[in-house]
Amino acid sequence: MQVTKMANLRWAFQCGSWVPTQAEWALAAQCVQPEEKERIGRFVFKKDAKSAMVGRLLLRKAIADTLHIPYNDIRLARTEKGKPYLTNPVPANFARFNLNISHQGDWAVLAAEPTRQVGVDVMKIELSRGNKSVTEFLDTFQRQFTVQEMRTIKAPLTEKGQLAMFYRHWCLKESYVKALGIGIGFTLQRLDFCINTHELSTQTIVQDTQVLVDNESDESWIFEETCLDQDHCVVTACKCDKQCNRKEITGHRPCHPFVVQTINTLLSGAQTQSGEDIQYWERFCEKLEQPTGR
């Protein structure tokens, strides 16, 4: 098996602006595993179905490009906590290869690493439905954050700034939990993040945030933080190996880590594993884009 040398992958897809054609949706459905196709078909809204479909395509494209496993031979499974993993045999030098996806708001993202544990989380900076104010919204999450974190979250002078800081902290916690693959059940207040660079942008990757786990500093983690646009923040958590010197990491570097993909790039070289399902397209067309009032 030919294997592409890979430092890492950071990919993003703007699901919010994707209006699938019949040909695109039909081909995408043919390229994912039958159980995933069925799961995607159960989503009530187009928005959620599109995000889930893109997430599976990102995984398959990353594996196909990196390990040169054909689309129709790729077998993905989930851990008990829901983290996707590859069941196919891989070369010894990629035995620790792992990857993770996230989709929320208008974006789906993927992060992959050849040797390091990795988790990624993206969030749209917005006030959730049903909350009358930012203060009310933040108060509902008091138990998920430490006193110091909540103080940092509420420090910005504007409500938009407070929401941005909240979702940044949320992405930090979720990316850590997803990297470990432990999911629901982990007490998020065990993590205490110290923000050193307070502003994120689309032009830089902040890497100087530090974490305390159970009140003990853990220098083995690197958190790459950036924005995909003015309304979405994303965090990639990487567990350092023995060769990683955490102290050499600079606060930020001037480039955007995520390469934006198109549906054509995700489906390029795809090989189908099932026949075309016209009813699957028709059922997709019957769905509303998203809940009314949003």
Side-chain angles (χ1 to χ4, degrees), residues 188-206:
L188 294 181
Q189 206 173 52
R190 291 175 58 192
L191 304 175
D192 189 2
F193 284 94
C194 178
I195 303 290
N196 292 301
T197 301
H198 287 265
E199 295 293 332
L200 296 183
S201 76
T202 59
Q203 302 302 313
T204 59
I205 310 167
V206 170

Side-chain angles (χ1 to χ4, degrees), residues 164-220:
M165 191 61 78
F166 165 82
Y167 282 114
R168 180 178 173 184
H169 276 79
W170 189 261
C171 284
L172 283 163
K173 289 178 183 272
E174 284 294 305
S175 64
Y176 176 95
V177 170
K178 292 176 71 178
L180 293 179
I182 50 182
I184 298 173
F186 184 89
T187 303
L188 294 181
Q189 206 173 52
R190 291 175 58 192
L191 304 175
D192 189 2
F193 284 94
C194 178
I195 303 290
N196 292 301
T197 301
H198 287 265
E199 295 293 332
L200 296 183
S201 76
T202 59
Q203 302 302 313
T204 59
I205 310 167
V206 170
Q207 295 183 108
D208 60 358
T209 293
Q210 296 171 294
V211 65
L212 279 73
V213 183
D214 297 329
N215 297 317
E216 295 289 335
S217 178
D218 189 343
E219 294 289 328
S220 65

Side-chain angles (χ1 to χ4, degrees), residues 70-125:
Y71 262 69
N72 58 340
D73 290 338
I74 294 171
R75 289 296 173 262
L76 292 163
R78 296 173 184 268
T79 66
E80 291 183 359
K81 300 298 185 178
K83 185 175 183 179
Y85 68 94
L86 180 67
T87 65
N88 301 69
V90 297
N93 59 322
F94 271 70
R96 295 172 60 193
F97 170 76
N98 75 118
L99 67 177
N100 195 228
I101 57 169
S102 176
H103 44 78
Q104 205 275 333
D106 298 329
W107 290 88
V109 294
L110 171 140
E113 290 284 333
T115 61
R116 301 188 296 180
Q117 288 175 278
V118 65
V120 66
D121 199 61
V122 61
M123 292 297 294
K124 185 173 184 179
I125 302 168

Side-chain angles (χ1 to χ4, degrees), residues 13 18 24 28 53-54 57 261-268:
F13 185 98
W18 179 39
E24 290 171 349
M53 182 69 80
V54 168
L57 295 177
Q261 305 292 314
T262 67
I263 192 61
N264 289 334
T265 59
L266 291 186
L267 292 174
S268 64

Side-chain angles (χ1 to χ4, degrees), residues 6-245:
M6 183 188 76
N8 53 48
L9 292 179
R10 304 288 186 268
W11 288 352
F13 185 98
Q14 195 167 21
C15 303
S17 61
W18 179 39
V19 181
T21 65
Q22 180 176 349
E24 290 171 349
W25 192 251
L27 179 56
Q30 291 175 270
C31 294
V32 299
Q33 291 167 210
E35 66 273 17
E36 293 295 342
K37 173 187 171 183
E38 181 181 350
R39 183 181 66 86
I40 293 166
R42 290 198 296 267
F43 282 104
V44 175
F45 299 105
K46 286 181 180 178
K47 182 178 186 295
D48 299 320
K50 289 189 297 181
S51 295
M53 182 69 80
V54 168
R56 306 317 290 181
L57 295 177
L58 284 167
L59 288 169
R60 302 184 79 83
K61 179 67 172 175
I63 292 167
D65 283 4
T66 303
L67 301 178
H68 293 278
I69 302 174
Y71 262 69
N72 58 340
D73 290 338
I74 294 171
R75 289 296 173 262
L76 292 163
R78 296 173 184 268
T79 66
E80 291 183 359
K81 300 298 185 178
K83 185 175 183 179
Y85 68 94
L86 180 67
T87 65
N88 301 69
V90 297
N93 59 322
F94 271 70
R96 295 172 60 193
F97 170 76
N98 75 118
L99 67 177
N100 195 228
I101 57 169
S102 176
H103 44 78
Q104 205 275 333
D106 298 329
W107 290 88
V109 294
L110 171 140
E113 290 284 333
T115 61
R116 301 188 296 180
Q117 288 175 278
V118 65
V120 66
D121 199 61
V122 61
M123 292 297 294
K124 185 173 184 179
I125 302 168
E126 63 179 351
L127 186 63
S128 297
R129 297 180 70 193
N131 289 281
K132 297 179 180 179
S133 69
V134 171
T135 299
E136 178 186 86
F137 172 70
L138 296 180
D139 286 344
T140 63
F141 289 92
Q142 288 279 359
R143 293 184 179 181
Q144 310 300 325
F145 298 95
T146 66
V147 172
Q148 177 59 44
E149 287 176 328
M150 191 56 71
R151 186 179 296 120
T152 302
I153 289 169
K154 293 183 176 180
L157 299 178
T158 66
E159 290 191 338
K160 176 74 171 181
Q162 291 177 9
L163 279 175
M165 191 61 78
F166 165 82
Y167 282 114
R168 180 178 173 184
H169 276 79
W170 189 261
C171 284
L172 283 163
K173 289 178 183 272
E174 284 294 305
S175 64
Y176 176 95
V177 170
K178 292 176 71 178
L180 293 179
I182 50 182
I184 298 173
F186 184 89
T187 303
L188 294 181
Q189 206 173 52
R190 291 175 58 192
L191 304 175
D192 189 2
F193 284 94
C194 178
I195 303 290
N196 292 301
T197 301
H198 287 265
E199 295 293 332
L200 296 183
S201 76
T202 59
Q203 302 302 313
T204 59
I205 310 167
V206 170
Q207 295 183 108
D208 60 358
T209 293
Q210 296 171 294
V211 65
L212 279 73
V213 183
D214 297 329
N215 297 317
E216 295 289 335
S217 178
D218 189 343
E219 294 289 328
S220 65
W221 287 90
I222 295 173
F223 299 93
E224 302 173 1
E225 303 177 77
T226 191
C227 292
L228 297 173
D229 56 31
Q230 65 179 1
D231 294 322
H232 294 79
C233 60
V234 59
V235 176
T236 305
C238 292
K239 176 78 168 176
C240 293
D241 56 25
K242 293 179 180 179
Q243 287 72 43
C244 175
N245 186 345

